[in-house]
Amino acid sequence: MAENHYKFNVTMTCGGCSGAVERVLKKLEGVKSYNVSLESQTADITTEPSLQYETVLEKIKKTGKKVNSGEKDGETMAV
């Protein structure tokens, strides 16, 4: 079965910021794995094919963090 790979550049200034992003990804149905890095300001997410880019983007935005850029399977997407 195919899967989607999403990568977001997210402005995170502290461990609490990256923790907030991790918490929403952990609760999001369809997320297979994720890696949130405060150091590189990125969130790499692997999902089931049914989980749309826009859904993941909105969940990250709801944490109050600024999403600077996003990719879906290596292709630049709108944020």
Side-chain angles (χ1 to χ4, degrees):
M1 183 186 278
E3 54 189 31
N4 291 324
H5 181 257
Y6 304 132
K7 183 174 184 175
F8 297 94
N9 176 276
V10 184
T11 300
M12 298 177 282
T13 56
C14 65
C17 295
S18 58
V21 174
E22 288 180 358
R23 281 190 297 279
V24 296
L25 294 174
K26 183 165 51 170
K27 292 178 185 175
L28 188 56
E29 193 172 320
V31 171
K32 289 179 152 186
S33 65
Y34 59 87
N35 180 37
V36 178
S37 171
L38 178 59
E39 188 175 304
S40 66
Q41 303 282 294
T42 58
D44 285 297
I45 305 124
T46 302
T47 72
E48 299 287 343
S50 58
L51 185 55
Q52 297 299 309
Y53 170 87
E54 292 78 10
T55 304
V56 179
L57 175 63
E58 286 308 310
K59 287 292 183 186
I60 293 173
K61 282 184 172 181
K62 280 188 177 179
T63 66
K65 308 300 163 241
K66 182 176 189 289
V67 179
N68 302 301
S69 64
E71 295 178 5
K72 175 184 177 184
D73 301 320
E75 182 180 328
T76 301
M77 301 289 285
V79 292

